[in-house]
Amino acid sequence: MEKVVIGYKVGDKIVDTQTYGAKKMEGGEPIYFDNSPEALEIIRHSTAHLMAQAIKELYPDAQFYVGPVIENGFYYDFKTSQPVSDKDLKKIEKKMEELAKKKYPIERYEISKSEARKKFSSDHLKQAVLDMIPDEVVSIYRQGEWEDLCRGPHLPHTGLIKAFKLQKVAGAYLGGDSSKEMLTRIYGTAFADKKSLKEYLKMLEEAQKRDHRKLGKELELWFFDPDVAPGMAIWLPRGAMLRHNLEKLLFTAHLERGYEPVRGPELLRSYMWKKSGHYDNYKENMYFTQIEHDEPNRPPEEYGIKPMNCLAHLKVFSHKVRSYRELPLRFFEFGTVHRHEKSGVLHGLLRVREFTQDDAHIFCREEQIEEEVLKVLNFVDDIMNLFNFQYEMEISTRPEKSIGSDEIWEKATEALKRALERTGRKYGIDEGGGAFYGPKIDIKITDAIGRKWQCGTIQVDFNLPERFQLEYVDQNNNRVRPVMIHRAIIGSFERFIAILTEHYAGEFPLFITHTKAIFVPIGEEHIPYCQTIIDQLRELGHRGELLYSHDSLGKRIRTAEKQRVPLVVIVGDEEVKNGSVAVRDRRDRTKKVMTKEEFIQMIKSECEVKI
């Protein structure tokens, strides 16, 4: 791989070599042509422009809107009189390869915004882009005869672009506004070398096989009915049992760590959401309804369907006078919440409108913050190790839209940093990524094929206790404000189950899986024996299934194995006579014969898992 400097990191900004030189910058950290996140931003941005240049040559009347870098790739929105579909991607890729070989210099120049309006006077998409730019001077990047408004950064020339793939064609409204015209969008990705591209595409292929939406349907776990409840899962018996097993495991783990179960209402009067700050800072993500007023002759009153469980937990704390001796108080609830998501971003169980959080709120004294956060971090570690997840942490700081003083935010952020530093774990910083009421630690897990997922969060909050006037009595009989720690470890059961499904490719560990075994009787006369074992498993809280049909035994066994259940049990005359079972174990691909008592004990012992 070429050791070429393609840009510089200056503070938190990435600039290309042209900008760095033109603005006479100093002290930047060099960015080399490789697969680092900083380099990929430059490479993918330039590949997006190369794609646009190729489209312009193939479709001369094409006009372009924006072409940003996104996670794992890039896209470009454009308009042309000719329809463009997935079957045209190979043609565009071929033209990109031709243009890349010409090693066009990528040149940057600046003009005034008024000059740019004249220059692109016949291009309404460029005018729309200029409407979004607040500066009076704009930059343009040019390669060959093609050019576009752009802030950069870009590579020095197109010859460095050698490893890319166009992935799909989609539609996109201008500026994301459904009232405006529909544009064509092409998604693609790029890397510094072909080997890395090949590995990434192989990972995508594996991800498609593991897609929880596909497996959820095939394994009859859950489904979505957009005509009935868009963005809300309907759980089938297998999926509901899988979810129950996870909930039961986590419920016990919370009790053992000193958490107390609580439960709040689904609806609260809107004045509560106004008082908390949700109404001003989160209203667009909430659902509201009108309910008749408690008092006669009063108009209906507005209620908000809860998007979070915090407010009920605040009321649990404040329903009686609390002493410092009670703290920390740890309340938890597997609370179902609703959040308004646009239909375009809904994505199976990963992005839904209704979900259940493993939510907890810890009320403590200020000097207890670090110790409580450390305990949560240890809880996180126990859960992630159980499911063989690697994970990383990131502290998210104050966003632009937030409540509370700078002093409170700084105090809360420093408490999180100190707790993380005591664990010895490395962590990143997401500037401006905090919740509106406090900074947070985000937990990001890495699955079996290397993808990262945002799951749990730990947030320190001085603001809500202040707004709701929470108090406890200290050792000097003074009224003191507690600190509130918001905490969810898996995030939501829906999202975590989606991740687990893809992580294990539908082959869940025995302790968590919905069905421990599928029983295949050789003949109809063997069904009662199978049923007695299934009944014994049910008494222990485990699920077994019976599979019998007029298909051949071999076909029935194959059908059972396709369900990805850990154990397939074959029962015939010999097994009934000896009180045994013939077990096929999918996990280690073995076959063994054991007594039915040994079989039940094996399942019982393997499922006695604690976090």
Side-chain angles (χ1 to χ4, degrees):
M1 191 180 296
E2 297 180 63
K3 193 72 171 176
V4 177
V5 175
I6 58 173
Y8 293 87
K9 188 171 183 180
V10 183
D12 60 351
K13 291 184 179 180
I14 296 172
V15 299
D16 51 37
T17 53
Q18 303 163 69
T19 305
Y20 191 80
K23 295 186 179 292
K24 296 181 179 179
M25 294 181 174
E26 294 181 358
E29 181 183 343
I31 299 171
Y32 295 98
F33 185 77
D34 56 26
N35 288 307
S36 66
E38 294 81 8
L40 286 178
E41 180 174 338
I42 300 173
I43 293 167
R44 288 169 176 168
H45 202 161
S46 296
T47 309
H49 275 220
L50 182 66
M51 179 180 75
Q53 185 182 11
I55 291 169
K56 185 68 175 176
E57 291 212 2
L58 292 169
Y59 308 92
D61 68 341
Q63 293 181 324
F64 298 88
Y65 182 50
V66 292
V69 173
I70 56 174
E71 186 178 9
N72 298 322
F74 60 85
Y75 69 78
Y76 229 116
D77 289 345
F78 64 97
K79 179 180 180 180
T80 178
S81 60
Q82 300 178 57
V84 179
S85 66
D86 287 340
K87 68 178 187 296
D88 297 307
L89 296 182
K90 288 287 184 186
K91 176 175 66 176
I92 298 170
E93 283 179 349
K94 186 176 179 181
K95 177 60 68 175
M96 290 171 67
E97 289 168 358
E98 291 174 12
L99 294 171
K101 288 175 182 176
K102 293 182 180 180
K103 298 184 179 181
Y104 287 113
I106 301 177
E107 302 166 316
R108 180 184 190 277
Y109 67 94
E110 294 182 347
I111 59 175
S112 68
K113 193 172 181 179
S114 58
E115 287 178 289
R117 288 214 181 267
K118 291 177 184 176
K119 181 179 179 68
F120 299 109
S121 59
S122 60
D123 189 333
H124 74 287
L125 295 184
K126 286 289 168 285
Q127 297 298 322
V129 173
L130 287 166
D131 289 341
M132 298 188 296
I133 300 174
D135 306 321
E136 290 307 314
V137 175
V138 298
S139 56
I140 294 175
Y141 279 82
R142 175 172 55 209
Q143 53 198 59
E145 295 182 2
W146 187 84
E147 60 183 2
D148 199 3
L149 290 164
C150 187
R151 290 179 299 180
H154 285 287
L155 295 167
H157 60 84
T158 62
L160 291 169
I161 305 172
K162 296 175 181 176
F164 57 85
K165 179 69 178 175
L166 303 187
Q167 295 165 291
K168 66 176 180 179
V169 176
Y173 290 111
L174 175 62
D177 186 340
S178 60
S179 67
K180 296 182 179 178
E181 67 182 302
M182 177 71 76
L183 304 177
T184 300
R185 174 176 292 180
I186 296 181
Y187 288 95
T189 192
F191 288 84
D193 60 281
K194 291 184 178 180
K195 180 184 176 185
S196 299
L197 174 64
K198 186 176 180 181
E199 289 172 353
Y200 175 73
L201 295 176
K202 185 178 179 181
M203 184 273 287
L204 284 185
E205 187 179 337
E206 181 64 25
Q208 288 178 345
K209 294 177 187 175
R210 293 167 177 258
D211 192 322
H212 76 280
R213 295 168 297 179
K214 172 176 169 286
L215 290 175
K217 183 177 180 180
E218 289 176 1
L219 302 180
E220 296 184 20
L221 301 174
W222 59 77
F223 69 95
F224 289 85
D225 188 337
D227 293 330
V228 174
M232 304 180 203
I234 298 173
W235 294 83
L236 296 168
R238 287 180 177 177
M241 192 67 185
L242 172 68
R243 179 175 175 146
H244 165 75
N245 291 340
L246 180 59
E247 288 178 348
K248 182 180 177 182
L249 187 69
L250 288 173
F251 196 94
T252 302
H254 279 80
L255 294 180
E256 290 177 346
R257 287 166 173 78
Y259 288 81
E260 297 280 358
V262 297
R263 185 163 183 81
E266 303 293 315
L267 290 168
L268 289 94
R269 283 185 159 116
S270 283
Y271 85 83
M272 287 287 288
W273 302 112
K274 291 174 182 176
K275 189 173 181 180
S276 69
H278 287 82
Y279 206 89
D280 292 332
N281 294 278
Y282 205 74
K283 185 179 180 181
E284 66 274 12
N285 300 105
M286 294 178 64
Y287 295 104
F288 292 90
T289 188
Q290 299 284 328
I291 298 179
E292 63 180 15
H293 205 283
D294 298 342
E295 301 175 19
N297 304 318
R298 295 279 303 271
E301 192 174 2
E302 186 182 58
Y303 282 66
I305 302 173
K306 67 173 180 177
M308 300 170 185
N309 301 294
C310 330
L311 301 197
H313 294 196
L314 290 163
K315 298 302 290 183
V316 171
F317 181 91
S318 65
H319 91 285
K320 67 176 186 178
V321 176
R322 301 287 184 179
S323 164
Y324 73 96
R325 293 188 181 89
E326 295 180 75
L327 305 185
L329 274 171
R330 307 180 187 100
F331 299 137
F332 83 100
E333 175 182 2
F334 295 165
T336 299
V337 299
H338 292 77
R339 296 182 186 176
H340 180 259
E341 298 282 4
K342 292 183 178 179
S343 58
V345 302
L346 296 175
H347 185 86
L349 293 177
L350 290 168
R351 196 72 175 265
V352 289
R353 289 175 174 151
E354 177 193 79
F355 56 93
T356 302
Q357 294 177 302
D358 66 319
D359 213 353
H361 294 92
I362 302 166
F363 297 90
C364 64
R365 304 193 302 271
E366 192 171 321
E367 63 269 22
Q368 294 174 322
I369 296 174
E370 281 184 48
E371 207 59 44
E372 287 304 304
V373 172
L374 273 173
K375 287 178 181 177
V376 175
L377 292 174
N378 289 332
F379 197 175
V380 169
D381 201 53
D382 291 340
I383 291 175
M384 297 308 157
N385 288 337
L386 180 65
F387 294 107
N388 298 315
F389 282 125
Q390 298 295 316
Y391 68 98
E392 56 192 45
M393 305 277 197
E394 187 173 72
I395 290 182
S396 299
T397 61
R398 184 171 193 166
E400 188 175 329
K401 199 173 184 181
S402 59
I403 58 177
S405 69
D406 290 340
E407 181 185 356
I408 283 176
W409 273 84
E410 185 177 350
K411 189 184 294 185
T413 304
E414 286 305 311
L416 289 177
K417 286 181 179 178
R418 285 195 302 270
L420 267 177
E421 284 161 5
R422 284 176 63 183
T423 68
R425 295 189 68 92
K426 293 182 179 179
Y427 61 89
I429 299 289
D430 177 15
E431 296 291 351
F436 72 86
Y437 49 79
K440 60 179 179 171
I441 295 174
D442 286 326
I443 301 157
K444 298 183 179 181
I445 64 179
T446 303
D447 69 10
I449 56 174
R451 296 170 302 177
K452 295 186 187 299
W453 303 94
Q454 165 67 49
C455 279
T457 183
I458 307 165
Q459 304 165 3
V460 176
D461 184 0
F462 287 82
N463 286 301
L464 287 182
E466 180 69 33
R467 287 189 167 220
F468 284 85
Q469 302 290 295
L470 297 192
E471 293 177 335
Y472 67 89
V473 180
D474 71 6
Q475 59 269 41
N476 299 316
N477 212 33
N478 295 319
R479 299 279 177 155
V480 182
R481 198 79 71 217
V483 178
M484 183 179 188
I485 300 173
H486 305 247
R487 187 242 69 187
I489 295 178
I490 67 170
S492 78
F493 286 94
E494 285 76 6
R495 184 175 179 80
F496 195 69
I497 287 172
I499 295 167
L500 282 180
T501 303
E502 300 193 5
H503 180 59
Y504 290 113
E507 298 188 32
F508 303 103
L510 188 71
F511 70 87
I512 203 77
T513 192
H514 48 85
T515 306
K516 309 307 179 188
I518 293 180
F519 291 78
V520 182
I522 293 175
E524 194 169 349
E525 66 275 18
H526 306 124
I527 292 177
Y529 179 78
C530 292
Q531 194 61 55
T532 61
I533 304 175
I534 292 172
D535 291 343
Q536 285 180 277
L537 288 174
R538 185 183 297 114
E539 289 173 8
L540 294 171
H542 305 309
R543 187 174 186 274
E545 288 184 14
L546 181 73
L547 176 61
Y548 184 75
S549 70
H550 294 295
D551 292 329
S552 68
L553 177 62
K555 185 172 182 181
R556 282 185 283 142
I557 291 172
R558 288 193 296 274
T559 299
E561 289 182 334
K562 284 180 181 178
Q563 299 306 303
R564 308 193 189 204
V565 166
L567 305 169
V568 176
V569 179
I570 316 299
V571 172
D573 289 338
E574 197 71 21
E575 286 73 31
V576 173
K577 177 183 175 183
N578 298 326
S580 63
V581 287
V583 181
R584 292 171 178 245
D585 194 324
R586 272 188 66 88
R587 299 167 297 174
D588 55 16
R589 303 297 191 261
T590 59
K591 301 176 185 177
K592 48 198 165 190
V593 175
M594 59 181 71
T595 67
K596 65 178 181 179
E597 290 79 16
E598 289 172 335
F599 174 72
I600 290 170
Q601 183 57 40
M602 177 189 73
I603 291 178
K604 183 179 177 182
S605 61
E606 288 195 33
C607 291
E608 288 177 348
V609 172
K610 288 188 176 182
I611 299 175

